[in-house]
Amino acid sequence: MLFSRVCLLVVVTPSRRDLLQAVAVGGTTGIAACLGGPAEDPIVARPNGSLPAGQHEWHTGLATDADGNDVLPVHHVYLFCRLADDPTDTDRDRLERALSSLERAAAWRSTGLFCTVGYSAQYFDRFDVPLRDVELPTPAELSEEIDKFPGGQPPDLDDADLFVHLASDEAAGVLAAEAALRGDRTTFNGTTMDGSLPDRVAIVDRRSGFVAPGLPAAKQAERAVEPLPDEPIDDQAPLWMGFRAGYRASQASETEVTIDTGPFAGGTVATLETFEVAVDLWYRDHDHAGRIELMFSPGHDPATVGSVGERLGSDPDNAAAADAIHDDLERAGKVGHAQKAARARVDGRPRLLRRDVNTVDFDVPGIHFLALSQSAADYVTVRNALAADDLPLPVGAPSVNGITQYLHATHRGVYLIPPRTDRSFPRPAGIRP
Ligand code: HEM
Protein backbone atom coordinates (compact mmCIF):
# COMPACT_ATOMS: atom_id res chain seq x y z
CA MET A 1 0.00 0.00 0.00
CA LEU A 2 2.62 2.44 1.19
CA PHE A 3 4.76 1.37 -1.69
CA SER A 4 2.37 2.21 -4.48
CA ARG A 5 1.54 5.52 -2.85
CA VAL A 6 5.21 6.42 -2.58
CA CYS A 7 6.05 5.46 -6.11
CA LEU A 8 3.09 7.22 -7.63
CA LEU A 9 4.24 10.36 -5.93
CA VAL A 10 7.77 9.85 -7.17
CA VAL A 11 6.71 9.40 -10.77
CA VAL A 12 4.67 12.56 -10.68
CA THR A 13 6.94 14.82 -8.63
CA PRO A 14 9.99 13.17 -7.11
CA SER A 15 10.35 15.45 -4.10
CA ARG A 16 13.16 14.94 -1.62
CA ARG A 17 10.70 13.33 0.77
CA ASP A 18 9.38 10.92 -1.87
CA LEU A 19 12.89 9.90 -2.86
CA LEU A 20 13.90 9.28 0.74
CA GLN A 21 10.87 7.08 1.20
CA ALA A 22 11.53 5.25 -2.03
CA VAL A 23 15.09 4.40 -0.94
CA ALA A 24 13.85 3.26 2.46
CA VAL A 25 11.17 1.05 0.98
CA GLY A 26 13.21 -0.29 -1.94
CA GLY A 27 11.85 -3.24 -3.87
CA THR A 28 12.07 -4.14 -7.51
CA THR A 29 8.84 -3.27 -9.29
CA GLY A 30 8.62 -0.23 -7.11
CA ILE A 31 12.13 0.85 -8.02
CA ALA A 32 11.32 0.70 -11.71
CA ALA A 33 8.13 2.66 -11.10
CA CYS A 34 9.98 5.21 -9.03
CA LEU A 35 12.40 5.75 -11.88
CA GLY A 36 9.58 6.23 -14.35
CA GLY A 37 9.74 2.74 -15.86
CA PRO A 38 12.45 0.30 -16.82
CA ALA A 39 13.44 2.21 -19.93
CA GLU A 40 14.38 5.31 -18.02
CA ASP A 41 17.78 5.59 -16.42
CA PRO A 42 18.89 7.76 -13.55
CA ILE A 43 21.13 10.62 -14.49
CA VAL A 44 24.21 10.39 -12.34
CA ALA A 45 27.71 11.63 -13.12
CA ARG A 46 29.52 9.67 -15.84
CA PRO A 47 32.96 8.13 -15.22
CA ASN A 48 35.80 10.56 -15.63
CA GLY A 49 39.02 9.05 -14.44
CA SER A 50 40.81 6.09 -12.94
CA LEU A 51 39.52 4.36 -9.85
CA PRO A 52 41.34 4.18 -6.52
CA ALA A 53 42.76 0.82 -5.47
CA GLY A 54 40.68 0.65 -2.31
CA GLN A 55 36.92 0.19 -2.52
CA HIS A 56 36.68 2.36 0.59
CA GLU A 57 38.64 5.20 -1.00
CA TRP A 58 35.86 7.70 -1.53
CA HIS A 59 37.70 10.84 -0.44
CA THR A 60 38.51 12.26 -3.88
CA GLY A 61 34.90 11.80 -4.98
CA LEU A 62 33.26 13.28 -1.89
CA ALA A 63 32.02 16.83 -1.67
CA THR A 64 33.52 18.99 1.05
CA ASP A 65 31.83 21.58 3.22
CA ALA A 66 32.99 25.18 3.66
CA ASP A 67 35.49 24.03 6.30
CA GLY A 68 37.06 21.32 4.15
CA ASN A 69 35.36 18.39 5.91
CA ASP A 70 34.28 15.47 3.73
CA VAL A 71 30.53 15.24 3.20
CA LEU A 72 28.98 11.81 2.78
CA PRO A 73 26.58 10.98 -0.05
CA VAL A 74 22.93 11.46 0.91
CA HIS A 75 21.45 8.03 0.12
CA HIS A 76 22.72 4.63 1.25
CA VAL A 77 21.57 1.07 0.62
CA TYR A 78 23.13 -1.98 2.27
CA LEU A 79 22.40 -5.44 0.82
CA PHE A 80 23.22 -8.39 3.05
CA CYS A 81 23.75 -11.58 1.10
CA ARG A 82 24.38 -15.26 1.59
CA LEU A 83 26.21 -17.44 -0.85
CA ALA A 84 25.15 -21.06 -1.23
CA ASP A 85 28.18 -23.38 -1.36
CA ASP A 86 31.67 -22.31 -2.29
CA PRO A 87 32.16 -19.55 -4.81
CA THR A 88 33.15 -20.74 -8.27
CA ASP A 89 35.17 -18.89 -10.86
CA THR A 90 31.91 -18.37 -12.73
CA ASP A 91 30.47 -16.62 -9.67
CA ARG A 92 33.60 -14.49 -9.41
CA ASP A 93 33.44 -13.54 -13.03
CA ARG A 94 29.75 -12.68 -12.90
CA LEU A 95 30.03 -10.52 -9.81
CA GLU A 96 33.11 -8.78 -11.17
CA ARG A 97 31.35 -8.03 -14.43
CA ALA A 98 28.37 -6.61 -12.54
CA LEU A 99 30.52 -4.34 -10.39
CA SER A 100 32.63 -3.26 -13.35
CA SER A 101 29.44 -2.41 -15.23
CA LEU A 102 28.37 -0.07 -12.45
CA GLU A 103 31.78 1.59 -12.58
CA ARG A 104 31.64 1.96 -16.35
CA ALA A 105 28.26 3.64 -16.04
CA ALA A 106 28.72 6.08 -13.16
CA ALA A 107 31.52 8.20 -11.77
CA TRP A 108 33.17 7.20 -8.51
CA ARG A 109 31.82 10.20 -6.69
CA SER A 110 28.82 11.28 -4.64
CA THR A 111 27.04 12.66 -7.68
CA GLY A 112 27.65 9.26 -9.31
CA LEU A 113 27.86 6.04 -7.34
CA PHE A 114 30.06 4.42 -4.72
CA CYS A 115 29.79 0.64 -4.44
CA THR A 116 31.78 -1.43 -1.96
CA VAL A 117 31.60 -5.14 -1.17
CA GLY A 118 32.67 -6.66 2.15
CA TYR A 119 32.99 -10.26 3.38
CA SER A 120 32.39 -11.69 6.85
CA ALA A 121 34.26 -14.31 8.87
CA GLN A 122 31.38 -16.66 8.03
CA TYR A 123 32.19 -16.29 4.33
CA PHE A 124 35.84 -17.16 4.85
CA ASP A 125 35.03 -20.08 7.17
CA ARG A 126 33.97 -22.21 4.20
CA PHE A 127 37.52 -22.49 2.91
CA ASP A 128 40.01 -25.11 4.06
CA VAL A 129 42.67 -22.54 4.84
CA PRO A 130 42.32 -19.62 7.25
CA LEU A 131 42.05 -16.01 6.24
CA ARG A 132 45.57 -14.76 5.94
CA ASP A 133 46.96 -11.75 7.82
CA VAL A 134 43.59 -10.21 8.76
CA GLU A 135 41.90 -10.64 12.14
CA LEU A 136 38.23 -10.86 11.23
CA PRO A 137 36.10 -11.78 14.25
CA THR A 138 32.60 -13.14 14.01
CA PRO A 139 29.99 -10.68 15.29
CA ALA A 140 29.62 -12.96 18.32
CA GLU A 141 33.31 -12.63 19.13
CA LEU A 142 33.05 -8.89 18.72
CA SER A 143 30.04 -8.80 21.03
CA GLU A 144 31.93 -10.62 23.73
CA GLU A 145 34.50 -7.87 23.64
CA ILE A 146 32.24 -4.85 23.68
CA ASP A 147 28.89 -5.73 25.26
CA LYS A 148 28.02 -6.06 28.87
CA PHE A 149 24.22 -6.34 28.43
CA PRO A 150 23.25 -5.40 31.97
CA GLY A 151 19.63 -6.46 31.58
CA GLY A 152 19.58 -5.18 28.01
CA GLN A 153 18.95 -7.10 24.84
CA PRO A 154 21.97 -8.21 22.84
CA PRO A 155 21.96 -7.05 19.22
CA ASP A 156 21.08 -9.32 16.31
CA LEU A 157 24.34 -10.56 14.88
CA ASP A 158 24.69 -10.34 11.11
CA ASP A 159 24.88 -13.76 9.51
CA ALA A 160 25.54 -12.56 5.99
CA ASP A 161 28.47 -13.78 3.93
CA LEU A 162 28.86 -10.50 2.12
CA PHE A 163 27.38 -7.06 2.12
CA VAL A 164 27.14 -4.54 -0.68
CA HIS A 165 27.04 -0.84 0.15
CA LEU A 166 25.65 1.52 -2.48
CA ALA A 167 25.84 5.26 -1.89
CA SER A 168 24.97 8.30 -3.97
CA ASP A 169 23.51 11.77 -3.71
CA GLU A 170 20.93 10.56 -6.22
CA ALA A 171 18.16 8.37 -4.84
CA ALA A 172 17.46 7.08 -8.32
CA GLY A 173 21.14 6.18 -8.61
CA VAL A 174 21.24 3.83 -5.63
CA LEU A 175 17.86 2.33 -6.49
CA ALA A 176 18.76 1.64 -10.11
CA ALA A 177 22.17 0.26 -9.14
CA GLU A 178 20.45 -2.05 -6.67
CA ALA A 179 17.96 -3.19 -9.29
CA ALA A 180 20.78 -3.77 -11.77
CA LEU A 181 22.71 -5.87 -9.25
CA ARG A 182 19.59 -7.87 -8.51
CA GLY A 183 19.23 -8.51 -12.24
CA ASP A 184 15.98 -6.56 -12.46
CA ARG A 185 17.35 -4.01 -14.91
CA THR A 186 19.58 -4.64 -17.88
CA THR A 187 20.96 -1.11 -17.95
CA PHE A 188 22.29 1.32 -15.42
CA ASN A 189 22.71 4.99 -16.23
CA GLY A 190 22.40 4.24 -19.92
CA THR A 191 25.05 1.50 -19.87
CA THR A 192 24.24 -2.15 -20.48
CA MET A 193 24.94 -4.32 -17.45
CA ASP A 194 27.36 -7.12 -18.17
CA GLY A 195 26.34 -9.21 -15.16
CA SER A 196 24.44 -9.18 -11.88
CA LEU A 197 24.68 -10.91 -8.53
CA PRO A 198 25.11 -14.64 -9.21
CA ASP A 199 21.98 -16.80 -8.85
CA ARG A 200 23.48 -18.57 -5.86
CA VAL A 201 23.64 -15.27 -3.97
CA ALA A 202 20.51 -14.61 -1.92
CA ILE A 203 19.83 -11.14 -0.52
CA VAL A 204 18.68 -11.88 3.01
CA ASP A 205 18.43 -8.37 4.42
CA ARG A 206 18.27 -4.86 3.09
CA ARG A 207 18.86 -1.66 5.03
CA SER A 208 18.94 1.95 3.98
CA GLY A 209 20.02 5.29 5.36
CA PHE A 210 20.27 8.99 4.67
CA VAL A 211 22.37 11.89 5.86
CA ALA A 212 22.32 15.60 4.99
CA PRO A 213 21.58 18.86 6.78
CA GLY A 214 17.84 19.17 7.38
CA LEU A 215 16.82 15.57 6.71
CA PRO A 216 16.24 14.61 10.38
CA ALA A 217 14.17 17.79 10.79
CA ALA A 218 12.18 16.94 7.65
CA LYS A 219 11.53 13.41 8.93
CA GLN A 220 10.46 14.90 12.24
CA ALA A 221 8.11 17.38 10.54
CA GLU A 222 6.32 14.57 8.75
CA ARG A 223 6.44 12.35 11.87
CA ALA A 224 7.87 9.66 9.62
CA VAL A 225 8.90 7.60 12.61
CA GLU A 226 8.38 7.61 16.37
CA PRO A 227 9.38 8.35 19.03
CA LEU A 228 10.71 11.77 18.12
CA PRO A 229 10.83 14.87 20.32
CA ASP A 230 8.37 17.73 20.15
CA GLU A 231 11.22 20.22 20.24
CA PRO A 232 12.24 20.88 16.64
CA ILE A 233 15.49 19.29 15.52
CA ASP A 234 17.71 22.03 14.07
CA ASP A 235 17.05 22.31 10.35
CA GLN A 236 20.79 22.32 9.64
CA ALA A 237 21.53 19.16 11.62
CA PRO A 238 22.52 16.19 9.46
CA LEU A 239 22.02 13.64 12.28
CA TRP A 240 19.10 12.93 14.63
CA MET A 241 20.95 14.05 17.74
CA GLY A 242 21.39 17.54 16.34
CA PHE A 243 25.09 17.86 15.50
CA ARG A 244 27.50 17.46 12.64
CA ALA A 245 30.05 14.66 12.91
CA GLY A 246 33.08 13.59 10.95
CA TYR A 247 35.33 16.64 11.16
CA ARG A 248 38.61 16.29 9.32
CA ALA A 249 40.71 16.31 12.50
CA SER A 250 38.59 13.71 14.27
CA GLN A 251 38.52 11.20 11.44
CA ALA A 252 41.25 8.76 10.49
CA SER A 253 42.30 9.25 6.87
CA GLU A 254 41.59 6.57 4.29
CA THR A 255 45.30 5.76 4.25
CA GLU A 256 45.33 5.30 8.01
CA VAL A 257 42.51 2.73 7.91
CA THR A 258 44.00 0.84 4.97
CA ILE A 259 45.48 -2.59 5.67
CA ASP A 260 49.15 -2.28 4.83
CA THR A 261 50.47 -5.84 4.77
CA GLY A 262 49.48 -9.26 3.54
CA PRO A 263 47.31 -10.35 0.65
CA PHE A 264 44.55 -7.87 1.51
CA ALA A 265 46.83 -4.84 1.68
CA GLY A 266 44.88 -1.95 0.20
CA GLY A 267 41.62 -3.10 1.81
CA THR A 268 40.09 -2.22 5.15
CA VAL A 269 37.85 -3.60 7.90
CA ALA A 270 34.30 -2.32 8.34
CA THR A 271 32.34 -2.67 11.54
CA LEU A 272 28.68 -1.99 10.99
CA GLU A 273 26.42 -1.46 13.97
CA THR A 274 22.85 -0.27 13.87
CA PHE A 275 21.73 1.71 16.90
CA GLU A 276 18.27 2.63 17.96
CA VAL A 277 18.59 6.23 19.14
CA ALA A 278 16.32 7.56 21.90
CA VAL A 279 16.07 10.94 20.22
CA ASP A 280 12.94 11.88 22.16
CA LEU A 281 14.63 11.38 25.53
CA TRP A 282 17.81 13.10 24.37
CA TYR A 283 15.89 16.31 23.67
CA ARG A 284 13.60 15.88 26.67
CA ASP A 285 16.46 15.42 29.14
CA HIS A 286 18.80 18.18 27.95
CA ASP A 287 18.77 21.68 26.56
CA HIS A 288 21.21 22.65 23.81
CA ALA A 289 24.05 23.43 26.25
CA GLY A 290 23.50 20.11 28.02
CA ARG A 291 23.57 18.25 24.72
CA ILE A 292 26.91 19.89 23.86
CA GLU A 293 28.31 18.77 27.21
CA LEU A 294 27.35 15.16 26.62
CA MET A 295 28.09 15.02 22.89
CA PHE A 296 31.42 16.88 22.92
CA SER A 297 32.54 17.64 26.49
CA PRO A 298 31.52 19.73 29.51
CA GLY A 299 34.43 22.03 28.61
CA HIS A 300 33.06 22.89 25.17
CA ASP A 301 31.65 26.41 25.12
CA PRO A 302 28.30 26.48 23.28
CA ALA A 303 29.37 29.77 21.70
CA THR A 304 32.29 28.08 19.94
CA VAL A 305 30.23 25.06 18.91
CA GLY A 306 27.22 26.83 17.37
CA SER A 307 23.80 25.33 16.74
CA VAL A 308 24.96 22.11 15.08
CA GLY A 309 28.75 22.38 15.37
CA GLU A 310 29.11 24.74 12.41
CA ARG A 311 31.58 26.97 14.29
CA LEU A 312 34.06 24.18 14.92
CA GLY A 313 35.76 24.42 11.54
CA SER A 314 37.54 21.18 10.82
CA ASP A 315 38.54 20.36 14.39
CA PRO A 316 36.15 20.04 17.33
CA ASP A 317 39.12 19.84 19.71
CA ASN A 318 38.23 16.39 20.96
CA ALA A 319 41.87 15.62 21.72
CA ALA A 320 42.22 18.54 24.14
CA ALA A 321 38.88 17.57 25.68
CA ALA A 322 40.16 14.02 26.15
CA ASP A 323 43.15 15.37 28.07
CA ALA A 324 40.78 17.31 30.32
CA ILE A 325 38.39 14.42 30.94
CA HIS A 326 39.26 13.86 34.60
CA ASP A 327 39.01 17.58 35.39
CA ASP A 328 35.69 17.76 33.56
CA LEU A 329 34.37 14.78 35.48
CA GLU A 330 35.39 16.28 38.79
CA ARG A 331 33.96 19.69 37.96
CA ALA A 332 30.79 18.77 36.03
CA GLY A 333 30.18 15.19 37.17
CA LYS A 334 29.84 14.02 33.56
CA VAL A 335 31.86 13.35 30.42
CA GLY A 336 31.21 13.84 26.71
CA HIS A 337 30.98 11.28 23.92
CA ALA A 338 33.65 12.77 21.65
CA GLN A 339 36.13 13.35 24.47
CA LYS A 340 35.79 9.74 25.58
CA ALA A 341 36.24 8.49 22.02
CA ALA A 342 39.32 10.66 21.51
CA ARG A 343 41.05 8.87 24.40
CA ALA A 344 41.46 5.94 22.00
CA ARG A 345 43.63 7.89 19.57
CA VAL A 346 47.08 6.55 18.70
CA ASP A 347 49.84 9.13 18.73
CA GLY A 348 47.19 11.81 18.49
CA ARG A 349 45.47 10.26 15.47
CA PRO A 350 41.91 8.84 15.47
CA ARG A 351 41.62 5.10 14.78
CA LEU A 352 38.30 5.16 12.94
CA LEU A 353 36.94 6.60 9.74
CA ARG A 354 33.24 6.94 10.55
CA ARG A 355 30.53 6.87 7.90
CA ASP A 356 27.33 6.90 9.91
CA VAL A 357 23.91 7.71 8.54
CA ASN A 358 20.37 8.03 9.88
CA THR A 359 17.78 5.36 9.29
CA VAL A 360 14.10 4.66 9.80
CA ASP A 361 14.50 1.00 8.83
CA PHE A 362 13.19 -0.44 12.05
CA ASP A 363 10.35 2.04 12.56
CA VAL A 364 12.28 3.94 15.21
CA PRO A 365 14.94 6.61 14.74
CA GLY A 366 18.22 4.82 14.21
CA ILE A 367 21.78 5.15 13.00
CA HIS A 368 23.70 2.77 10.76
CA PHE A 369 27.15 3.26 12.21
CA LEU A 370 29.76 2.09 9.73
CA ALA A 371 33.32 2.54 10.91
CA LEU A 372 36.42 1.68 8.90
CA SER A 373 39.64 0.74 10.63
CA GLN A 374 42.86 -1.10 9.94
CA SER A 375 41.72 -3.86 12.26
CA ALA A 376 38.52 -4.86 14.02
CA ALA A 377 40.40 -4.47 17.31
CA ASP A 378 40.57 -0.72 16.71
CA TYR A 379 36.80 -0.55 16.78
CA VAL A 380 36.70 -2.52 20.03
CA THR A 381 39.19 -0.13 21.59
CA VAL A 382 37.04 2.88 20.75
CA ARG A 383 33.84 1.16 21.84
CA ASN A 384 35.43 0.33 25.18
CA ALA A 385 36.63 3.91 25.55
CA LEU A 386 32.98 4.92 25.14
CA ALA A 387 31.82 2.41 27.75
CA ALA A 388 34.27 4.23 30.07
CA ASP A 389 34.46 1.48 32.69
CA ASP A 390 37.80 2.96 33.69
CA LEU A 391 36.32 6.32 34.69
CA PRO A 392 34.97 6.94 38.20
CA LEU A 393 31.53 8.01 36.97
CA PRO A 394 28.90 8.66 39.66
CA VAL A 395 27.23 5.30 40.26
CA GLY A 396 23.61 5.07 39.18
CA ALA A 397 23.50 8.67 37.93
CA PRO A 398 21.78 8.97 34.56
CA SER A 399 23.08 11.19 31.77
CA VAL A 400 26.69 11.41 32.85
CA ASN A 401 28.33 9.05 30.36
CA GLY A 402 28.18 10.86 27.03
CA ILE A 403 25.40 9.57 24.80
CA THR A 404 25.61 5.90 25.75
CA GLN A 405 22.31 5.77 27.58
CA TYR A 406 20.54 7.01 24.43
CA LEU A 407 21.97 4.32 22.15
CA HIS A 408 20.96 0.69 21.89
CA ALA A 409 22.82 -1.56 19.47
CA THR A 410 20.30 -3.64 17.53
CA HIS A 411 22.48 -5.17 14.79
CA ARG A 412 26.17 -5.87 14.45
CA GLY A 413 28.48 -7.17 11.77
CA VAL A 414 32.12 -7.03 10.81
CA TYR A 415 33.44 -7.31 7.26
CA LEU A 416 36.70 -7.31 5.36
CA ILE A 417 36.50 -4.90 2.45
CA PRO A 418 39.16 -6.23 0.09
CA PRO A 419 41.01 -4.03 -2.38
CA ARG A 420 39.17 -3.54 -5.65
CA THR A 421 41.29 -6.14 -7.45
CA ASP A 422 40.09 -8.85 -5.07
CA ARG A 423 36.54 -7.79 -4.34
CA SER A 424 34.69 -10.60 -6.10
CA PHE A 425 34.53 -13.64 -3.82
CA PRO A 426 38.10 -13.44 -2.54
CA ARG A 427 40.03 -16.51 -1.48
CA PRO A 428 41.40 -16.51 2.09
CA ALA A 429 44.95 -16.04 0.86
CA GLY A 430 43.91 -13.43 -1.69
CA ILE A 431 44.85 -13.40 -5.34
CA ARG A 432 48.40 -12.39 -4.66
CA PRO A 433 51.10 -14.95 -3.92
C1 HEM B 1 24.09 7.82 17.34
C2 HEM B 1 25.35 7.51 17.38
C3 HEM B 1 26.46 8.51 17.35
C4 HEM B 1 26.42 9.85 17.12
C5 HEM B 1 25.22 10.73 16.82
C6 HEM B 1 27.78 10.33 17.21
C7 HEM B 1 28.14 11.65 17.05
C8 HEM B 1 29.41 12.13 17.23
C9 HEM B 1 29.77 13.52 17.24
C10 HEM B 1 28.80 14.67 17.05
C11 HEM B 1 31.10 13.59 17.44
C12 HEM B 1 31.91 14.87 17.57
C13 HEM B 1 32.23 15.42 16.24
C14 HEM B 1 33.33 14.67 15.56
O1 HEM B 1 34.45 14.65 16.10
O2 HEM B 1 33.08 14.11 14.49
C15 HEM B 1 31.61 12.23 17.51
C16 HEM B 1 32.92 11.89 17.64
C17 HEM B 1 33.37 10.60 17.62
N1 HEM B 1 32.61 9.47 17.70
FE1 HEM B 1 30.61 9.37 17.68
N2 HEM B 1 28.60 9.27 17.48
C18 HEM B 1 27.83 8.16 17.58
C19 HEM B 1 28.27 6.88 17.88
C20 HEM B 1 29.59 6.51 17.92
C21 HEM B 1 30.08 5.16 18.04
C22 HEM B 1 29.21 3.94 18.20
C23 HEM B 1 31.44 5.23 17.98
C24 HEM B 1 32.48 4.13 18.01
C25 HEM B 1 32.43 2.97 18.38
C26 HEM B 1 31.80 6.61 17.83
C27 HEM B 1 33.08 7.06 17.69
C28 HEM B 1 33.44 8.38 17.62
C29 HEM B 1 34.81 8.82 17.46
C30 HEM B 1 36.02 7.93 17.29
C31 HEM B 1 34.77 10.23 17.49
C32 HEM B 1 35.97 11.17 17.30
C33 HEM B 1 36.90 11.10 18.45
C34 HEM B 1 38.21 11.82 18.13
O3 HEM B 1 38.17 13.02 17.83
O4 HEM B 1 39.24 11.16 18.16
N3 HEM B 1 30.66 7.35 17.80
N4 HEM B 1 30.55 11.37 17.41
Side-chain angles (χ1 to χ4, degrees), residues 4-25:
S4 49
R5 184 173 63 81
V6 166
C7 292
L8 256 183
L9 285 170
V10 171
V11 171
V12 178
T13 43
S15 70
R16 190 171 74 163
R17 174 184 167 212
D18 300 330
L19 293 171
L20 277 181
Q21 283 180 328
V23 175
V25 173

Side-chain angles (χ1 to χ4, degrees), residues 138-192:
T138 64
E141 287 164 335
L142 196 71
S143 292
E144 274 169 32
E145 290 189 79
I146 60 179
D147 279 328
K148 316 277 179 309
F149 307 133
Q153 288 295 314
D156 287 347
L157 305 178
D158 289 359
D159 56 2
D161 293 316
L162 59 147
F163 95 112
V164 181
H165 181 181
L166 300 166
S168 174
D169 282 346
E170 302 295 335
V174 285
L175 289 175
E178 175 185 354
L181 282 180
R182 289 176 182 265
D184 295 330
R185 294 171 63 90
T186 52
T187 63
F188 171 64
N189 206 34
T191 299
T192 301

Side-chain angles (χ1 to χ4, degrees), residues 308-346:
V308 299
E310 74 281 5
R311 298 202 188 136
L312 292 169
S314 60
D315 185 358
D317 258 345
N318 299 336
D323 289 342
I325 199 162
H326 288 281
D327 292 345
D328 281 355
L329 180 54
E330 205 171 301
R331 182 179 51 80
K334 58 180 92 163
V335 292
H337 165 75
Q339 76 179 148
K340 282 186 296 169
R343 294 183 306 151
R345 289 188 180 197
V346 192

Side-chain angles (χ1 to χ4, degrees), residues 61-76:
L62 292 174
T64 46
D65 66 17
D67 298 308
N69 302 303
D70 281 351
V71 175
L72 285 176
V74 178
H75 301 285
H76 298 254

